[in-house]
Amino acid sequence: MDSSTFYQEQRGTGPGTSVQPTASEIKQGFAPGPTTTPALFTPLKIRSLTLKNRIAMSPMCMYSSHDGFATDFHLVHTGQYALRGVGLIIMEAAAVAPEGRITPNCLGIWKDEHVEKLEQITRFAHTNHASIGIQLAHAGRKASTNAPWLIKVHGANADEEHGGWPNDLIGPSSVPFSDRSWMPAEMTVEQITSIQREFALAAGRARRANFDVLELHGAHGYLIHSFLSPISNRRTDAYGGSFDNRIRFLVETVRSVRTQWPVNRPLFVRLSMTDWVEPSGDIPTGGWTEEESIALAKVLAQEQVDLIDCSTSGSSPLQKIPLGLGYQVPFAHAVKRNVPQMLSAAVGLITTAKQANSIIESKHADLVFVGRALLREPNFVLDAARQLEAFAQYPHQYERGRSKTKHSFV
């Protein structure tokens, strides 16, 4: 017998799908009666893909790879969210080149050999009716650092002795992130073209690994964001200076990626919507701004990008972030208001079902990305359905663990 049959669902489109309870399930106390579907559990169609609910797992670095290869850790870590109903799982930032990793332990997708394990992970997700994507990234001037739990042992920066590549960092300009960071070399136009080619090749590998969604990491001070922000981009050629020049690297990268990524599959871009840096005499805008992000979203809408994943910050240690619950939601709302042809996702301190549902219900975003809350509560989605008085499909293997309103053996 094909082992995949053990994971096939009888109703809906897998765990996390809003369905009506049967009379038997109501009688047993699994539901008080017929239920309605809250906004958080409505499907979302993006090109040929239909997400079963509006909860996505935010890409989060796990620092658990060797030479960029995904491992059994990634299969188990990612697979648990496929079992537990996450509408869209986005795997962590996968470097398109070895020197584009944040740490020596980061995931990669720069060679064909990486595809096999990634395809095993997508196969498990699809068997459990979960949609899955991967984030393509290049860390740029913020590369060659140590995993968080190694900082106390080896320091923040990874030198050659500890697997780093301090002499191979690149960026739009020779401007380090901080006075304690490695100094990047200013990229030549030939290097720019080469990295854009690496993004396209990585997109082809993601296609062969059967990912449903591709996200480009254009946030948090990494390479794409560092071209956008005048804090890190001091170039005087076609890739620096004016708004049109600073967005050129990303726009060209999107076009390059789309040559390898099928037109029927969604393409997302994560942006830092603002640098959160105060204006100065050197940089009158302070850095990259919300207004520029909106203008960029309008450009990307014409370049076959489907969704802006609205994050912030990462360009400067001088940033002043007004942390609070849902503090980045207004940026997702701004994209929806100003770029109606573009979908938007909210991310950042979204911690409860009620909060997530309110974001979707109020049309402040089309999708919510949940990160650390899912690390704390892997059952976040299935618990959210219960908290919102909906009835979500469970995986067969976990059905006995569903909460009851009363107890009966009927």
Side-chain angles (χ1 to χ4, degrees):
M1 179 184 292
D2 181 356
S3 63
S4 69
T5 60
F6 293 116
Y7 302 107
Q8 300 302 312
E9 297 303 319
Q10 295 177 339
R11 291 177 291 166
T13 52
T17 305
S18 178
V19 296
Q20 283 299 318
T22 64
S24 175
E25 286 165 333
I26 293 171
K27 190 172 184 179
Q28 292 180 74
F30 289 124
T35 61
T36 58
T37 299
L40 191 61
F41 284 85
T42 55
L44 176 65
K45 184 173 176 58
I46 313 174
R47 295 187 184 260
S48 63
L49 180 68
T50 299
L51 303 180
K52 58 193 173 186
N53 60 52
R54 304 298 184 97
I55 303 171
M57 185 176 80
S58 194
M60 293 175 283
C61 292
M62 292 290 112
Y63 314 104
S64 298
S65 297
H66 176 71
D67 192 29
F69 282 91
T71 66
D72 286 348
F73 170 85
H74 295 90
L75 175 63
V76 174
H77 167 68
T78 307
Q80 68 178 318
Y81 297 109
L83 282 171
R84 295 176 184 273
V86 174
L88 173 63
I89 301 161
I90 302 285
M91 284 191 69
E92 65 198 86
V96 301
E99 69 277 5
R101 291 171 291 171
I102 301 169
T103 77
N105 311 107
C106 284
L107 187 66
I109 193 168
W110 68 79
K111 55 185 175 182
D112 292 343
E113 290 82 0
H114 289 148
V115 171
E116 182 178 4
K117 190 67 175 184
L118 294 172
E119 197 277 331
Q120 182 188 8
I121 293 168
T122 64
R123 185 168 64 249
F124 183 84
H126 292 150
T127 297
N128 289 279
H129 305 287
S131 298
I132 184 168
I134 193 167
Q135 186 185 68
L136 302 187
H138 192 295
R141 67 178 186 157
K142 296 179 79 172
S144 194
T145 62
N146 280 311
W149 53 85
L150 295 177
I151 290 176
K152 290 184 178 179
V153 180
H154 302 309
N157 296 323
D159 56 22
E160 292 174 337
E161 181 183 356
H162 298 105
W165 48 97
N167 298 318
D168 296 324
L169 268 69
I170 55 175
S173 304
S174 293
V175 178
F177 174 70
S178 74
D179 57 10
R180 292 174 291 180
S181 303
W182 301 123
M183 176 67 74
E186 180 170 313
M187 295 170 70
T188 65
V189 173
E190 290 74 21
Q191 285 177 310
I192 288 173
T193 301
S194 177
I195 292 298
Q196 290 170 334
R197 188 181 306 116
E198 295 292 351
F199 270 97
L201 291 171
R205 296 183 189 106
R207 182 192 72 243
R208 295 198 298 277
N210 291 323
F211 284 99
D212 303 301
V213 172
L214 202 61
E215 178 170 275
L216 302 185
H217 197 344
H220 303 163
Y222 300 120
L223 186 63
I224 291 174
H225 182 193
S226 68
F227 270 90
L228 299 177
S229 177
I231 291 173
S232 44
N233 187 346
R234 307 293 178 87
R235 300 177 74 97
T236 57
D237 64 1
Y239 291 93
S242 69
F243 169 80
D244 288 339
N245 284 356
R246 284 182 285 117
I247 70 170
R248 191 182 308 278
F249 177 76
L250 172 55
V251 172
E252 291 180 349
T253 300
V254 166
R255 291 172 182 168
S256 187
V257 162
R258 266 300 183 190
T259 67
Q260 298 296 318
W261 187 245
V263 70
N264 65 327
R265 297 192 200 182
L267 178 61
F268 296 178
V269 173
R270 172 166 277 191
L271 291 179
S272 279
M273 298 289 290
T274 177
D275 283 336
W276 292 124
V277 176
E278 295 179 356
S280 66
D282 186 32
I283 304 176
T285 62
W288 181 252
T289 67
E290 178 181 359
E291 293 74 21
E292 289 176 308
S293 292
I294 297 300
L296 174 56
K298 292 177 180 178
V299 173
L300 294 178
Q302 304 302 315
E303 298 290 345
Q304 301 187 71
V305 172
D306 300 291
L307 179 144
I308 301 298
D309 176 4
C310 300
S311 190
T312 63
S313 72
S315 274
S316 171
L318 299 177
Q319 63 192 14
K320 296 180 180 180
I321 306 172
L323 287 174
L325 291 177
Y327 70 104
Q328 295 176 149
V329 173
F331 296 106
H333 191 199
V335 170
K336 282 191 66 64
R337 286 197 318 270
N338 294 286
V339 197
Q341 66 272 40
M342 179 72 78
L343 298 172
S344 74
V347 63
L349 287 177
I350 298 171
T351 62
T352 68
K354 184 177 180 181
Q355 178 195 14
N357 187 64
S358 175
I359 292 167
I360 302 299
E361 192 172 54
S362 62
K363 302 187 185 304
H364 285 181
D366 300 287
L367 197 62
V368 292
F369 275 79
V370 180
R372 298 180 194 194
L374 273 167
L375 296 182
R376 291 190 296 270
E377 306 169 49
N379 218 48
F380 181 93
V381 175
L382 300 178
D383 288 345
R386 175 174 51 83
Q387 292 161 16
L388 296 172
E389 299 183 346
F391 190 80
Q393 179 67 45
Y394 260 55
H396 288 316
Q397 297 89 339
Y398 294 175
E399 189 70 55
R400 288 170 295 174
R402 186 192 290 273
S403 295
K404 290 187 174 186
T405 58
K406 63 180 180 180
H407 294 279
S408 168
F409 290 103
V410 177

